[in-house]
């Protein structure tokens, strides 16, 4: 499998469609089925954001002296205020800044005398918010053993 199209820097690479397809199919088979059974509904498969929002987040990171973004996997609690999202996985992007030991630490900034983490979340998830902005992350047929087949 060829994965490198063009090296862009020191963290990661551009990847081809085969790599993307393999990662999504493996995720669905190895994680998504179990997550969905655990929460009792289809778990989210994607999160989406507008390019302008991403550019705005990157701009704020630069303004506050940051050097990167940590993408954290998370899950909404079962008792979450939005019941459509309750239990579903999500991502949160946390701005980082290099420390004296050259480790990337969460970036905090002062807002009215209080330290606030510079982070971005509340991204629309699919499911349940499949529609504008979302494309199908690929169709997979998953063998769930005695529970039959699932088309995801």
């Amino acid at each position: 499998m060829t994965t490198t199209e063009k090296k862009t820097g020191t963290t990661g690479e551009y990847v081809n469609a085969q790599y993307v397809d393999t990662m999504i199919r493996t995720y669905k088979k190895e994680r998504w089925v179990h997550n969905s059974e655990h929460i009792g509904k289809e778990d989210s498969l994607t999160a989406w954001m507008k390019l302008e929002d991403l550019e705005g987040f990157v701009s704020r990171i630069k303004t506050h002296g940051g050097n990167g973004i940590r993408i954290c996997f998370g899950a909404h609690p079962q008792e979450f205020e939005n019941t459509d999202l309750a239990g579903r996985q999500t991502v949160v992007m946390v701005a980082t800044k290099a420390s004296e030991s050259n480790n990337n630490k969460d970036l905090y900034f002062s807002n009215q005398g209080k330290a606030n983490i510079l982070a971005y979340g509340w991204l629309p998830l699919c499911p349940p918010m499949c529609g504008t902005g979302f494309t199908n992350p690929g169709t997979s047929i998953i063998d769930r053993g005695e529970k039959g087949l699932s088309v995801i």
Side-chain angles (χ1 to χ4, degrees):
M1 167 183 355
T2 303
T3 59
T4 304
E5 297 294 325
K6 175 183 171 189
K7 187 72 172 170
T8 60
T10 59
T11 57
E13 302 173 356
Y14 285 99
V15 296
N16 62 25
Q18 182 181 3
Y19 180 88
V20 172
D21 184 57
T22 299
M23 296 302 109
I24 292 170
R25 287 181 188 278
T26 302
Y27 171 77
K28 288 177 180 179
K29 181 180 175 186
E30 303 287 330
R31 304 283 195 285
W32 184 86
V33 169
H34 304 294
N35 291 352
S36 297
E37 288 175 1
H38 177 72
I39 66 174
K41 59 186 170 189
E42 289 186 337
D43 201 358
S44 53
L45 287 168
T46 64
W48 183 83
M49 70 186 302
K50 291 180 182 177
L51 183 57
E52 298 86 38
D53 294 339
L54 180 60
E55 289 170 337
F57 183 53
V58 169
S59 178
R60 286 190 70 186
I61 293 169
K62 289 178 179 179
T63 297
H64 293 288
N67 70 328
I69 299 172
R70 179 179 297 111
I71 301 173
C72 304
F73 304 108
H76 296 284
Q78 287 291 353
E79 307 78 31
F80 196 63
E81 60 196 63
N82 181 328
T83 56
D84 284 343
L85 298 178
R88 286 193 164 107
Q89 64 188 354
T90 190
V91 292
V92 178
M93 295 181 291
V94 179
T96 61
K97 184 175 185 175
S99 68
E100 293 172 11
S101 62
N102 210 26
N103 291 327
N104 293 313
K105 303 290 184 183
D106 294 350
L107 176 59
Y108 284 81
F109 67 100
S110 179
N111 185 9
Q112 299 178 349
K114 292 184 178 183
N116 289 311
I117 192 168
L118 182 52
Y120 201 92
W122 277 104
L123 298 173
L125 303 175
C126 179
M129 301 172 202
C130 305
T132 305
F134 285 95
T135 58
N136 185 345
T139 303
S140 302
I141 299 174
I142 306 294
D143 183 354
R144 299 173 79 176
E146 294 178 8
K147 296 181 181 179
L149 298 176
S150 292
V151 178
I152 323 167

